[in-house]
Amino acid sequence: MPPPPDAEARRAVRPVICYPTDTLPAPDMALYGAALETAEVTATHIAAPREACCFEVPAGQFFRITCTGGPQVGDLNLWNATDLSERFYSGKTRALHGSHVSTGDRLWSSFPALRPLATVVRDDLDWYGIDAFGGSVHDVIGTRCDPYTGRLLSGSDYHHCCHSNLTRALADHLGLPLAEAEPHVHDVLNVFMCTGFTRDTGQYFMKSSPVRPGDALTFLAEIDLLGALSACPGGDCGAEHTSDSAPCFPLKVEILRPAPDALQGWVSPSRNAYDRSHGR
């Protein structure tokens, strides 16, 4: 249809932020940073190329994801360690913090708990910002590569996509059949992945990750967490999304315990206070 006479005026309407965060409780980043300086590694886990690993983090401890052998992106799931129904909510995290997260942003949990699961304390890629293509790092917009979309688009089955990697890792960690573990796998934080949306078609794009060996993303666990991290079969996601030909490298996950009393005054966040009456 031809545009209406007032088309330009309609387009010129200024946007409004949906969820202003002025009243959102802010983490004490100075406290978190100082506590991290005292922290010692207590456990190390490796997500092998095109595979995933699970790890557990007590509330008030840190976990650090590090690029090791070469540029590699990872897909991260998080759950309440004692209640898998409470898990990372990428959509609400995106609504509160934007399409990509960095230092000071938090990963929020699903309804009805809706509370911080983890806080980004240090991001070695925070220098990247937003590039000329509209790309940035650590997105909460991509869902995870999966065999169902692969079957839909190519007609073939690929079993080492991140959804399947996470499913196998969670099943093995909890001793569950794959069919019981799979429903717990959810939309991810794409660690180290550089993504955005094209301006002309609005399509989700990826480009080579700027991550280099030694770069890390470090979080404080706000509650007791179970995590799973997949080393994506796309490698640095600069060419192919799901592939056995892309160069892939392991990702390291370290659990770090701060010194006693280093988080003096910190309290694990309570579940959301909404009474769940829903108007009745």
Side-chain angles (χ1 to χ4, degrees):
M1 291 184 62
D6 63 345
E8 289 306 314
R10 296 192 201 182
R11 293 191 185 104
V13 173
R14 294 183 64 84
V16 176
I17 298 299
C18 293
Y19 294 99
T21 56
D22 298 346
T23 59
L24 197 66
D28 187 340
M29 296 306 296
L31 178 68
Y32 288 13
L36 180 59
E37 293 300 321
T38 74
E40 296 183 351
V41 175
T42 60
T44 300
H45 307 268
I46 300 295
R50 300 182 177 87
E51 295 289 350
C53 68
C54 281
F55 56 93
E56 297 188 17
V57 196
Q61 296 191 22
F62 299 93
F63 64 101
R64 179 168 62 205
I65 301 171
T66 303
C67 172
T68 57
Q72 174 67 43
V73 307
D75 285 40
L76 178 68
N77 268 188
L78 294 175
W79 299 267
N80 178 333
T82 60
D83 178 6
L84 296 188
S85 70
E86 182 180 5
R87 62 193 194 181
F88 172 51
Y89 187 177
S90 65
K92 188 57 66 179
T93 299
R94 179 172 63 249
L96 291 172
H97 296 300
S99 59
H100 299 76
V101 298
S102 188
T103 307
D105 293 330
R106 313 183 96 166
L107 307 186
W108 293 80
S109 73
S110 52
F111 299 154
L114 190 60
R115 57 177 167 175
L117 293 174
T119 299
V120 181
V121 179
R122 183 172 297 166
D123 176 9
D124 291 347
L125 295 179
D126 60 3
W127 55 267
Y128 191 88
I130 301 175
D131 64 30
F133 303 98
S136 193
V137 185
H138 314 310
D139 82 72
V140 286
I141 48 181
T143 55
R144 65 201 176 277
C145 54
D146 68 273
Y148 304 101
T149 305
R151 165 61 71 166
L152 180 68
L153 297 178
S154 70
S156 61
D157 293 335
Y158 184 77
H159 304 300
H160 285 270
C161 51
C162 289
H163 177 86
S164 296
N165 296 347
L166 294 166
T167 298
R168 291 193 306 275
L170 185 63
D172 290 347
H173 185 78
L174 297 178
L176 295 175
L178 289 172
E180 290 184 26
E182 184 178 15
H184 294 295
V185 174
H186 51 278
D187 285 352
V188 298
L189 168 63
N190 282 305
V191 178
F192 303 140
M193 193 171 182
C194 190
T195 59
F197 291 105
T198 60
R199 297 297 299 163
D200 51 351
T201 63
Q203 289 177 286
Y204 181 53
F205 72 75
M206 62 185 187
K207 54 181 290 191
S208 295
S209 173
V211 71
R212 294 296 181 266
D215 288 338
L217 185 64
T218 305
F219 304 83
L220 176 78
E222 298 282 358
I223 68 171
D224 291 339
L225 292 177
L226 169 62
L229 179 71
S230 170
C232 182
D236 72 358
C237 289
E240 296 179 275
H241 191 253
T242 303
S243 164
D244 275 335
S245 60
C248 288
F249 302 92
L251 291 170
K252 179 171 65 175
V253 182
E254 295 170 300
I255 313 304
L256 302 97
R257 183 176 58 218
D261 299 324
L263 283 170
Q264 188 72 36
W266 171 84
V267 177
S268 183
S270 300
R271 294 169 61 90
N272 192 275
Y274 176 62
D275 64 9
R276 304 184 70 186
S277 61
H278 303 291
R280 290 189 176 178

